[in-house]
Amino acid sequence: MASSSPAVNNPNPQNISALLARMSDADPDYRFMSLNDLHQLLTKQKAEFLVHDYGTSSRIMDSVITHLDDQNGEVQNLAVKCIGPLVTKIPIAALSTMLDKLCTMEIKHAVDNSIQSTALRNAISSLPRPVRGVTPSQDVMQIYTVISRALIPRILGVSTLDHPTGGTRGILDKNGDPDSEAVDVLIEVVRCFGPLLQPLEVEKLQDVVVQVLERPSTTSPTKKRAVVALAMLAPYLTTEILDGFVAKLQKTLQQPKINPVIRRLYISIMGSLARSIPHKFGGYLPQLVEFVLSPLSQDEFQSRLDALHEGNDELHPDFNEISETALVALESFLTSCGLQMKDYTDRVIAACLRYLKYDPNYAVDEDEEMDENQGSDEEEEDDEEDEFEDDIGFDDDDDPSWKVRRCAAKALYTLVSMRSADLLEKGTLYNDIASPLVKCFDEREESVRLEIISTMSLLIRKTGEGVIQAISADEELIPSLGENRKRRRQSSGGFAYTNKAPYLGATGLTSPTHDSVPPTGPRADLQKLTPQIVKASTKLLKGKQIATKQAIINLLDDLIAVQNGGLADYFDQVMQPIIDVTKGVTAGASSTSMTLSGTASATATTLRVAVLHFASDIVKTHSSSLFHNYLESMVAGVVSAVRDRFYKISSEAIRTAEELVKAITPPRARLTTSKFKPQLQKLYDIILDRASAADADAEVRQKAIQALGTLISRTSTSDGISLIPNDKRQGALNLLLDRLRNETTRLYAVRAIDNIAAHSSTPGSLEPAWIENVTLELCGQLRKSNRVLRSSCIQALQHLILSPVIKGQIQAATASDIVASILPVITANDAYLLSPALIVVSQLQLEHPQIVSSASFIETVCELLKKNIGGLALESLVTLVSSVGTSGMGKPLMEGVLRVGVAGDPTVVGKVAGALFVSSGGQVGVSVDSFIDELNNSSKLTPPDTARQSLALAILGEIGLRLGPNSRLQPSIFLEQFHEEPDKVSVSAAVALGRAGAGNMPEFLPIILNTIKKPGSQQYLLLQSIREILHQVVTSSADISPYESEIWGLLFTASQTEDNRAICAECIGRLAIMEPKTYIPKLQQLLGDKSPVFRGVAVQALRYTLPDSDESFDLMLKPVLVEMLLRVLKDEDMDIRRIGMTALNSAAHNKPDLILPHLGELIPYVITESIIKPELIHEVQMGPFKHLVDDGLEVRKSAYETLYALMETAFSRISSLEFYDRIIAGLNDENDIRSLCNLMLSKLIVIDPEETTRRLDTVAECYRKTLSTKLRDGAVKQEIEKQEEAIKSVLRVTLLLVEKTKTTLPGVAGPGNAGQAQVQQSVQNPVWQQYWEWVNKDFERQIKMLREENKEMGMGM
């Protein structure tokens, strides 16, 4: 609503004077409304005239400051709000006066004593501030001068000529007792103007904060804020000041009879400094770490225990507080200075375990013996359980020792998180930490117990990270199309990498088997510890604490995820408590809700969801025979949970029901099918009920439809057809058809139908009418804009058409309708949809040949040939045209293909035309001679028609490959097209010669080998032919053994020429794939050859073998791969080391299981190569200019590319501290390396958010440097585009980091709790916070564009 005050609409001195007069009214309502008008004037209207009107500004300022002490609280709060906009409008001269008055004002009427400090903070935060790394403007310098002369002396209590303090105390001077709000004023000054503070000012501010800390009368909250203030000041301390402060810390802490309070305070300061300035503080750590470890030593611990036994508790005052503070500081050291703490690992572990057991109310020695004396006697266990239950309610305010134990558990959690890469391999974590952690599961304080359990869970998860599990072919039958855009990378060897065990995503076609565990290593250690873990866990599962039970369930879930089962021997102990909770039996359970480092908030609902998830994973990873005795109870519990009103419980229960269906149906339970029939009926009924229920939540219906698809698919095989009556099966199929027509359930219905189509094998299990309706409905969905839906539909169509159940049941009219719907998909040339679309048409054409005779079909195929296709889509197209040729309908299509001619890619058109010609038996209106004539005629033109030459050669090569000797083609036809300089026609002829030679090796290969021995330019072309022959041999398993040794020798001879090396290496790699027993040892021997050329070719050949080889090759390669890579990475030749890293890169992507156990040996060489070597940088004169050339740049790029590959596949096996150091260094490197490091950062914020957040300050420094780079005058277009792309890349990653770390702008966080959160964020990453503010100011337009771009991309997905 508009204000009635004229001052708001027409701000001038007269109207403002009238407004100020009303602000002095006795009525608080008038004062409030007048202040509100003033606030509107200062924030919404242009009041620049105040800058030039000192008198009016002074009167406004005095009035607002006066109202800060108003008797009415609402008026006070509004006056505080006016301070911020006011300081930006008044003259600089008035600002000094205003700050001085705010500092010296006395609060008499206000109940809240923080009004003064809040007003000061608002004023400081509203002023223009400097940005680190950017030259400050004149206005900022003037404001800083005012801050320096007016405010800082008042904070310090120091007199100046401009502002003598007289008898007035300073905000933080030594004569007063400051509160935490006063310290917050100092924090705000440092946060906003830290980059401009002079060394002397920083030193004095630090001194006054230390005085506040050391003052006995200072309250505990104030001391905590003072520690935060020191952390804020730390980045601006000079080396000399920091040296002096560290020396003071040492001197104070070395005193033999130091005050316990001072000792605890200084230890907390060290922890705070480690978090604030980790890189600087790391240099001082060796001098200071002893002062943190000393309070945690065995001597002090034993002395405390002896004093307690003697009843002399006063002998060690503040022992618990000091121990707690020391453990918190130790955790900060581990987090921020991990590399420097490596030397103290053993002492850290000993200290944490010592205090993890510290409980003065119980005898420690008896505790340790308890585990050994626990027998198998059931009565004894019951007694211990009762005793444990009695202790749960223990609560003694005089015993804070639980805080010490919790901090010890947190420190161990941090140690496991930061150092798992090396400590797991050494065995330290399991030998020293794991067993004591499990023994402490019976901790009486729940918060401590939860921290201990979460630490053990983390250790188990770290054990499983990087484990490669084999995936059977069955598990790849039904890809989850569109469900997750982040697909797992799979190698040709059938392996997949994920942090969670990949078998948890299995389709369950085969009964799970327990993985073989290595005899040594982390997984072997975990297996040995499993009995102890299960024994301790099952005891806690019988308790009443919800949070503890949920933590234990999650731990056991992690255990079976890592071990692919592992609970087979403990089913009787684990299953009954699980079944009880599944049914919702939580009688007497306390509704504790706690949130800790490793455990989410726990309630009865979340516990039930966790138990259902655990039950699902147990069924998935253990043999069906194990839970026969529990199946009826499990099904009853699951059915009860499915009916639950809360959708999360119901949807998770349906997921568990689906896993139970997989476990009790063929092929997994083929021998016991009839035994489980009653349970399967119950599961069918409840799943069908939820899938058809109109009142069920959308997520529940979707999960039920998916489960229904699984159930029907499993009972549509010959072994399972009798499990479900035909009427029920048809009812389920009709329901899926109905759900297919519903928009909210359509996608899940498509996937369910896809599942059924892929597994149905019994004739008659699918009715023809249902098949026709479903196929036409799926075809109708292909017109939708939703790409995920279209891809799922085309996949389902493919499985339906290929299913043996469907054979002969598709009518001609329906087939024509299907083809008509698919032709637009083919025309669209979507890489993901094209291949299955072509396969569908190909399969339909076998039964209904006439569907491909239409002009529209031929036109669609011809248009497709004009586009760029390849890979699987091209293979599917060749399959389609071969089917057309076989059916005798090839002539019209051949005419269309030949009309396309050179309008398409000659290689693609030639392959299609050749396949069609051969499959048609040559009955397509053209002959081989006509293609030869076309080649000769095109060659005689002036100039020659190279496109037609290439097309004819491609067709002849394909015919030669497919017909073999029957083609009657001669090598001379192709050799005549070789030219002195390898041009397009020559290369086409070489490839065609190779393809034809692969079909008729006895005639072609001797001529090729004899010709290649002759020196000349044709050698490179003939190598192309040999490569094509070897490629066809690998795919077709043809016999080339008579020529292998001769080819091997010729390849190494030809590799002497530099241009031939890459293709020779590829050919050698293909030979090694064919005969690994013969050629792997030869490659290994060549890596030690004196010739760098041969060593380089051998490394490249090794790299070429990795993506395409099979399991038999892996068996030969496994014992020698790491040794070969190590030899290459140690090579004295820099270029060979570069190729070696590309080979390691390829191995990380394609054979991770072969190198993961040995990464500790390989990584140091990659890290070394990523460091800039000054000796390789030299100056080169180019005309009148001099340029710096870095000869090590290419090697460094390869090193970073290898680090990126290892990050994706084996991050858990890499020392994250060293890895991050190299990324930070890469952000200051060349443009290509910077781009790669940006990409890595965008993934690391998801993989390791904690360490990435800790590194934000150093990232900000690097990014600011990139964004501040100014191009020289006269920069060329390429340089400008490169810089713009670099800026865009930095801003894009900045936005992602801001989103993931929830960084906010100061304007967003106001006073109160939000303001405190903002300050806390600034303490953790002050440089990053300033950088983000600067980016929002100077790059506002680019940030806005990137946000809109991200939004559009999100909507597109």
Side-chain angles (χ1 to χ4, degrees):
M1 188 175 78
S3 173
S4 60
S5 172
V8 176
N9 300 319
N10 184 23
N12 57 52
Q14 292 77 19
N15 290 335
I16 289 177
S17 296
L19 181 63
L20 294 177
R22 290 198 304 274
M23 288 172 63
S24 303
D25 197 284
D27 189 340
D29 290 339
Y30 276 96
R31 296 200 302 275
F32 180 85
M33 287 187 292
S34 301
L35 264 177
N36 188 54
D37 290 340
L38 178 63
H39 185 262
Q40 289 185 45
L41 184 149
L42 293 172
T43 54
K44 297 182 179 179
Q45 300 294 328
K46 295 183 178 180
E48 284 82 358
F49 73 94
L50 290 177
V51 177
H52 308 291
D53 191 340
Y54 184 89
T56 304
S57 300
S58 297
R59 292 200 305 276
I60 294 175
M61 179 178 66
D62 292 340
S63 179
V64 172
I65 292 176
T66 300
H67 284 83
L68 289 174
D69 195 26
D70 196 281
Q71 294 180 349
N72 185 281
E74 292 184 353
V75 174
Q76 279 184 333
N77 292 335
L78 193 53
V80 171
K81 288 178 65 177
C82 289
I83 290 291
L86 178 59
V87 294
T88 61
K89 301 293 193 297
I90 61 177
I92 292 292
L95 177 62
S96 178
T97 306
M98 181 176 180
L99 292 176
D100 192 57
K101 288 183 176 182
L102 285 173
C103 291
T104 57
M105 69 177 293
E106 295 289 337
I107 302 295
K108 299 178 181 178
H109 302 105
V111 178
D112 185 2
N113 293 326
S114 67
I115 287 289
Q116 179 189 19
S117 299
T118 304
L120 272 170
R121 293 206 313 272
N122 275 6
I124 297 165
S125 62
S126 300
L127 293 168
R129 69 190 70 175
V131 176
R132 195 166 178 170
V134 179
T135 305
S137 64
Q138 184 178 355
D139 291 341
V140 171
M141 290 304 300
Q142 289 178 345
I143 291 171
Y144 163 68
T145 303
V146 172
I147 296 289
S148 179
R149 292 181 178 179
L151 185 55
I152 292 178
R154 288 297 183 185
I155 294 174
L156 299 175
V158 178
S159 298
T160 65
L161 292 176
D162 296 337
H163 298 279
T165 57
T168 306
R169 67 178 179 84
I171 298 176
L172 290 176
D173 69 355
K174 60 184 177 182
N175 299 319
D177 293 329
D179 54 15
S180 59
E181 287 78 13
V183 179
D184 283 338
V185 175
L186 184 149
I187 291 174
E188 196 66 30
V189 170
V190 177
R191 188 179 72 83
C192 296
F193 293 93
L196 293 180
L197 292 177
Q198 300 302 307
L200 180 61
E201 292 173 330
V202 175
E203 184 177 7
K204 293 300 181 184
L205 289 171
Q206 175 218 316
D207 289 342
V208 76
V209 173
V210 173
Q211 290 170 11
V212 170
L213 286 167
E214 293 178 341
R215 198 175 305 163
S217 59
T218 304
T219 61
S220 179
T222 304
K223 287 182 178 180
K224 290 180 179 179
R225 299 306 296 161
V227 172
V228 172
L230 271 181
M232 293 290 292
L233 280 165
Y236 307 109
L237 295 176
T238 62
T239 304
E240 293 77 12
I241 298 174
L242 193 55
D243 287 342
F245 184 66
V246 170
K248 181 178 180 180
L249 281 175
Q250 288 180 277
K251 183 178 178 181
T252 305
L253 290 170
Q254 283 172 347
Q255 295 175 8
K257 294 185 179 179
I258 184 174
N259 186 322
V261 176
I262 297 297
R263 187 184 191 189
R264 177 162 61 95
L265 196 59
Y266 274 51
I267 290 173
S268 69
I269 289 173
M270 286 191 284
S272 182
L273 290 177
R275 291 188 294 271
S276 178
I277 48 172
H279 299 293
K280 286 185 180 179
F281 189 80
Y284 299 100
L285 194 66
Q287 308 169 35
L288 300 174
V289 69
E290 192 61 40
F291 300 116
V292 175
L293 291 173
S294 177
L296 304 174
S297 64
Q298 177 64 33
D299 294 339
E300 291 206 21
F301 180 74
Q302 192 60 48
S303 176
R304 164 68 171 172
L305 290 181
D306 293 343
L308 286 174
H309 288 313
E310 294 170 4
N312 188 5
D313 197 20
E314 300 299 323
L315 188 62
H316 294 274
D318 296 324
F319 176 83
N320 289 331
E321 290 78 5
I322 292 174
S323 302
E324 179 186 353
T325 305
L327 286 165
V328 171
L330 202 60
E331 183 184 359
S332 299
F333 290 176
L334 291 169
T335 299
S336 306
C337 310
L339 289 176
Q340 293 84 354
M341 285 296 293
K342 280 189 174 182
D343 296 336
Y344 308 95
T345 301
D346 293 339
R347 296 181 63 186
V348 169
I349 292 174
C352 292
L353 293 177
R354 188 178 300 124
Y355 284 87
L356 187 67
K357 305 170 186 175
Y358 169 62
D359 193 344
N361 288 315
Y362 291 86
V364 177
D365 294 336
E366 293 176 8
D367 240 2
E368 291 178 346
E369 293 172 2
M370 188 179 298
D371 186 81
E372 298 176 7
N373 296 332
Q374 284 179 345
S376 59
D377 188 358
E378 293 297 331
E379 294 181 2
E380 238 179 28
E381 287 192 5
D382 289 342
D383 292 341
E384 289 171 4
E385 184 182 338
D386 294 340
E387 183 180 348
F388 175 72
E389 295 294 343
D390 292 338
D391 288 339
I392 286 167
F394 182 86
D395 185 15
D396 189 354
D397 294 336
D398 296 330
D399 176 27
S401 63
W402 65 271
K403 296 180 182 178
V404 179
R405 298 195 298 277
R406 186 177 66 180
C407 289
K410 285 185 175 182
L412 285 174
Y413 185 96
T414 302
L415 180 71
V416 173
S417 175
M418 301 294 296
R419 297 285 309 282
S420 61
D422 57 324
L423 294 183
L424 272 176
E425 293 301 326
K426 294 177 183 177
T428 304
L429 293 182
Y430 276 102
N431 294 338
D432 299 341
I433 295 178
S435 185
L437 277 176
V438 177
K439 290 178 182 178
C440 291
F441 275 16
D442 60 356
E443 162 68 41
R444 60 187 176 86
E445 176 63 37
E446 186 171 30
S447 63
V448 182
R449 187 165 62 246
L450 291 175
E451 286 292 347
I452 292 170
I453 294 171
S454 68
T455 303
M456 191 66 218
S457 295
L458 177 67
L459 176 55
I460 292 172
R461 290 196 301 274
K462 291 290 183 182
T463 304
E465 286 181 358
V467 175
I468 304 296
Q469 301 287 349
I471 294 185
S472 67
D474 289 338
E475 295 170 7
E476 298 174 355
L477 287 179
I478 311 176
S480 54
L481 295 174
E483 188 168 356
N484 191 342
R485 295 177 67 87
K486 297 179 181 176
R487 298 190 171 274
R488 292 178 181 149
R489 181 177 297 278
Q490 297 185 7
S491 76
S492 58
F495 292 91
Y497 171 83
T498 176
N499 282 345
K500 275 279 190 178
Y503 38 76
L504 292 189
T507 56
L509 291 177
T510 56
S511 187
T513 56
H514 189 60
D515 285 353
S516 59
V517 177
T520 58
R523 295 183 67 202
D525 296 334
L526 176 60
Q527 189 180 45
K528 293 174 186 175
L529 191 67
T530 299
Q532 191 177 344
I533 294 173
V534 173
K535 187 174 184 180
S537 298
T538 51
K539 180 180 176 182
L540 293 178
L541 282 176
K542 299 173 185 176
K544 299 177 181 179
Q545 291 71 35
I546 288 179
T548 297
K549 291 167 78 172
Q550 180 168 319
I552 287 294
I553 292 296
N554 292 334
L555 181 144
L556 292 174
D557 208 354
D558 291 332
L559 186 66
I560 64 174
V562 171
Q563 294 188 325
N564 190 15
L567 296 183
D569 298 332
Y570 317 102
F571 250 58
D572 294 337
Q573 303 172 46
V574 174
M575 286 309 298
Q576 193 55 50
I578 296 300
I579 292 170
D580 291 342
V581 182
T582 304
K583 295 178 180 178
V585 180
T586 54
S590 57
S591 58
T592 310
S593 178
M594 310 191 74
T595 303
L596 296 166
S597 59
T599 306
S601 296
T603 64
T605 299
T606 59
L607 172 61
R608 200 172 179 195
V609 170
V611 168
L612 287 166
H613 186 276
F614 176 62
S616 172
D617 290 345
I618 278 187
V619 173
K620 203 181 300 184
T621 55
H622 291 78
S623 174
S624 304
S625 60
L626 289 172
F627 46 84
H628 284 180
N629 297 333
Y630 302 96
L631 186 61
E632 187 173 351
S633 300
M634 289 179 71
V635 170
V638 169
V639 168
S640 172
V642 171
R643 292 196 177 102
D644 197 278
R645 292 183 177 181
F646 187 47
Y647 78 96
K648 286 189 177 179
I649 292 178
S650 183
S651 62
E652 190 63 46
I654 291 173
R655 176 176 176 268
T656 308
E658 183 181 3
E659 293 304 326
L660 283 170
V661 167
K662 293 178 183 178
I664 63 178
T665 53
R668 185 169 160 183
R670 184 178 289 110
L671 302 179
T672 53
T673 299
S674 57
K675 183 178 180 181
F676 302 139
K677 194 171 181 179
Q679 281 71 39
L680 186 63
Q681 292 287 348
K682 293 178 183 178
L683 293 173
Y684 169 86
D685 292 339
I686 190 63
I687 291 172
L688 189 71
D689 176 68
R690 291 295 85 194
S692 58
D695 60 340
D697 185 86
E699 182 180 337
V700 174
R701 287 204 307 274
Q702 291 165 357
K703 290 280 183 68
I705 289 169
Q706 177 181 321
L708 187 61
T710 300
L711 192 151
I712 298 302
S713 70
R714 293 307 183 90
T715 57
S716 297
T717 62
S718 57
D719 295 323
I721 194 72
S722 61
L723 294 176
I724 298 292
N726 289 335
D727 58 335
K728 288 191 173 183
R729 176 180 294 102
Q730 192 56 45
L733 292 172
N734 291 335
L735 176 63
L736 290 177
L737 178 59
D738 180 66
R739 291 307 181 195
L740 180 60
R741 293 164 177 159
N742 186 296
E743 188 173 356
T744 59
T745 57
R746 181 173 291 149
L747 179 60
Y748 290 85
V750 170
R751 291 174 179 168
I753 291 168
D754 185 13
N755 194 350
I756 294 170
H759 291 90
S760 295
S761 59
T762 305
S765 58
L766 301 178
E767 293 184 356
W770 183 87
I771 294 170
E772 183 172 354
N773 290 331
V774 164
T775 51
L776 293 178
E777 190 65 37
L778 290 173
C779 289
Q781 304 306 323
L782 294 176
R783 295 191 293 270
K784 304 290 184 182
S785 60
N786 188 331
R787 185 170 182 269
V788 175
L789 176 63
R790 285 187 286 118
S791 63
S792 298
C793 287
I794 200 70
Q795 191 77 24
L797 267 176
Q798 179 184 352
H799 282 137
L800 271 171
I801 301 303
L802 293 178
S803 174
V805 178
I806 310 295
K807 191 171 183 180
Q809 298 194 31
I810 300 290
Q811 301 300 319
T814 305
S816 298
D817 291 342
I818 295 174
V819 172
S821 300
I822 285 180
L823 288 182
V825 177
I826 298 175
T827 303
N829 192 23
D830 187 318
Y832 194 77
L833 308 181
L834 182 57
S835 179
L838 293 169
I839 291 174
V840 169
V841 177
S842 175
Q843 185 67 21
L844 288 172
Q845 193 272 337
L846 295 177
E847 295 185 22
H848 307 284
Q850 72 279 3
I851 63 174
V852 298
S853 61
S854 65
S856 58
F857 170 78
I858 296 174
E859 182 182 356
T860 300
V861 172
C862 293
E863 288 298 318
L864 182 62
L865 288 174
K866 297 177 183 179
K867 300 173 183 177
N868 186 22
I869 62 171
L872 193 58
L874 179 57
E875 294 300 322
S876 301
L877 179 59
V878 170
T879 302
L880 171 59
V881 298
S882 298
S883 299
V884 173
T886 305
S887 64
M889 307 293 291
K891 186 174 181 180
L893 182 58
M894 177 62 85
E895 293 174 356
V897 170
L898 293 180
R899 279 198 303 271
V900 172
V902 296
D905 182 353
T907 304
V908 174
V909 177
K911 191 169 186 178
V912 170
L916 182 57
F917 178 88
V918 174
S919 62
S920 302
Q923 306 300 314
V924 287
V926 288
S927 64
V928 174
D929 292 337
S930 62
F931 293 121
I932 296 174
D933 293 340
E934 178 71 14
L935 173 63
N936 294 330
N937 294 334
S938 301
S939 304
K940 294 175 182 178
L941 296 175
T942 306
D945 192 336
T946 56
R948 290 188 176 278
Q949 285 178 282
S950 299
L951 176 59
L953 286 166
I955 295 173
L956 290 171
E958 192 68 24
I959 292 172
L961 173 66
R962 292 176 177 270
L963 286 180
N966 296 330
S967 67
R968 299 182 181 179
L969 292 173
Q970 298 299 317
S972 57
I973 297 174
F974 305 99
L975 291 172
E976 288 172 357
Q977 302 301 322
F978 283 17
H979 303 148
E980 289 298 324
E981 291 295 329
D983 54 10
K984 181 181 178 181
V985 174
S986 299
V987 173
S988 298
V991 173
L993 175 63
R995 294 183 72 81
N1000 189 8
M1001 279 187 284
E1003 184 170 347
F1004 276 69
L1005 201 49
I1007 296 175
I1008 293 174
L1009 295 178
N1010 289 331
T1011 309
I1012 203 173
K1013 296 174 185 177
K1014 302 174 184 177
S1017 59
Q1018 292 188 355
Q1019 192 177 63
Y1020 174 79
L1021 297 172
L1022 292 167
L1023 288 172
Q1024 296 267 11
S1025 303
I1026 291 178
R1027 179 179 65 177
E1028 192 64 35
I1029 290 174
L1030 293 176
H1031 174 72
Q1032 296 300 327
V1033 168
V1034 170
T1035 55
S1036 63
S1037 302
D1039 183 22
I1040 199 176
S1041 54
Y1043 311 99
E1044 281 179 4
S1045 58
E1046 185 178 359
I1047 293 175
W1048 177 270
L1050 285 172
L1051 289 173
F1052 276 99
T1053 302
S1055 67
Q1056 299 287 344
T1057 305
E1058 185 175 356
D1059 293 341
N1060 296 340
R1061 285 173 193 165
I1063 192 170
C1064 285
E1066 185 177 351
C1067 294
I1068 292 168
R1070 294 192 185 282
L1071 282 173
I1073 292 173
M1074 290 187 290
E1075 292 292 337
K1077 291 182 180 179
T1078 304
Y1079 296 112
I1080 288 292
K1082 288 188 176 183
L1083 284 179
Q1084 195 176 3
Q1085 184 180 358
L1086 283 167
L1087 291 178
D1089 196 276
K1090 294 181 180 179
S1091 169
V1093 173
F1094 286 170
R1095 295 203 305 273
V1097 170
V1099 180
Q1100 285 182 293
L1102 175 65
R1103 184 187 66 185
Y1104 281 119
T1105 64
L1106 297 173
D1108 299 327
S1109 49
D1110 55 15
E1111 292 182 9
S1112 61
F1113 180 81
D1114 290 352
L1115 291 175
M1116 283 297 301
L1117 189 63
K1118 185 175 182 179
V1120 298
L1121 177 60
V1122 174
E1123 180 189 344
M1124 295 169 77
L1125 289 173
L1126 281 172
R1127 176 179 288 189
V1128 173
L1129 294 175
K1130 295 176 184 177
D1131 200 286
E1132 58 185 17
D1133 190 291
M1134 183 169 60
D1135 193 54
I1136 291 177
R1137 295 200 303 273
R1138 178 186 65 79
I1139 302 171
M1141 279 184 290
T1142 62
L1144 176 57
N1145 188 336
S1146 180
H1149 281 298
N1150 300 290
K1151 310 289 182 188
D1153 55 308
L1154 301 186
I1155 65 166
L1156 282 185
H1158 308 279
L1159 275 184
E1161 303 172 58
L1162 298 166
I1163 285 289
Y1165 296 99
V1166 182
I1167 294 288
T1168 302
E1169 294 298 338
S1170 69
I1171 299 172
I1172 296 176
K1173 297 177 175 60
E1175 65 272 15
L1176 296 177
I1177 301 175
H1178 56 93
E1179 195 173 66
V1180 175
Q1181 185 84 28
M1182 297 181 67
F1185 304 105
K1186 292 182 179 180
H1187 295 275
L1188 287 178
V1189 176
D1190 186 353
D1191 291 337
L1193 178 60
E1194 292 303 319
V1195 181
R1196 218 159 53 249
K1197 283 182 185 178
S1198 295
Y1200 275 100
E1201 288 168 358
T1202 305
L1203 288 176
Y1204 177 69
L1206 293 172
M1207 179 199 73
E1208 286 194 308
T1209 55
F1211 182 74
S1212 61
R1213 303 295 185 93
I1214 306 172
S1215 172
S1216 62
L1217 303 175
E1218 295 177 354
F1219 188 81
Y1220 273 93
D1221 286 345
R1222 296 321 311 149
I1223 290 179
I1224 299 300
L1227 292 176
N1228 289 319
D1229 211 316
E1230 292 293 328
N1231 185 62
D1232 291 343
I1233 295 177
R1234 285 203 308 267
S1235 299
L1236 194 57
C1237 289
N1238 282 334
L1239 184 59
M1240 284 195 269
L1241 267 180
S1242 67
K1243 296 194 174 186
L1244 284 171
I1245 190 61
V1246 178
I1247 297 173
D1248 192 356
E1250 294 179 0
E1251 183 64 21
T1252 307
T1253 303
R1254 284 192 286 271
R1255 301 280 183 149
L1256 284 180
D1257 280 355
T1258 45
V1259 171
E1261 295 284 4
C1262 300
Y1263 279 178
R1264 183 181 284 113
K1265 183 178 177 181
T1266 301
L1267 295 177
S1268 303
T1269 301
K1270 303 296 182 185
L1271 295 176
R1272 58 180 174 80
D1273 293 338
V1276 298
K1277 182 181 179 182
Q1278 186 179 6
E1279 292 175 326
I1280 296 173
E1281 290 176 350
K1282 181 184 284 188
Q1283 178 64 11
E1284 288 177 350
E1285 187 58 38
I1287 291 174
K1288 189 175 182 180
S1289 174
V1290 165
L1291 293 178
R1292 183 179 285 111
V1293 179
T1294 298
L1295 269 179
L1296 177 64
L1297 295 176
V1298 164
E1299 177 188 344
K1300 295 296 183 182
T1301 57
K1302 294 181 171 55
T1303 306
T1304 58
L1305 292 170
V1308 177
N1313 293 334
Q1316 293 293 337
Q1318 174 66 36
V1319 170
Q1320 182 65 26
Q1321 191 177 50
S1322 298
V1323 171
Q1324 293 175 350
N1325 303 110
V1327 180
W1328 174 259
Q1329 184 70 33
Q1330 293 167 6
Y1331 161 76
W1332 176 232
E1333 294 169 23
W1334 170 66
V1335 165
N1336 268 276
K1337 181 180 177 182
D1338 287 20
F1339 296 90
E1340 182 180 3
R1341 182 179 60 84
Q1342 294 96 317
I1343 289 288
K1344 184 178 179 181
M1345 290 175 60
L1346 284 173
R1347 279 180 168 147
E1348 291 175 354
E1349 183 181 315
N1350 292 341
K1351 186 177 180 181
E1352 290 175 1
M1353 289 175 63
M1355 291 175 64
M1357 292 168 62

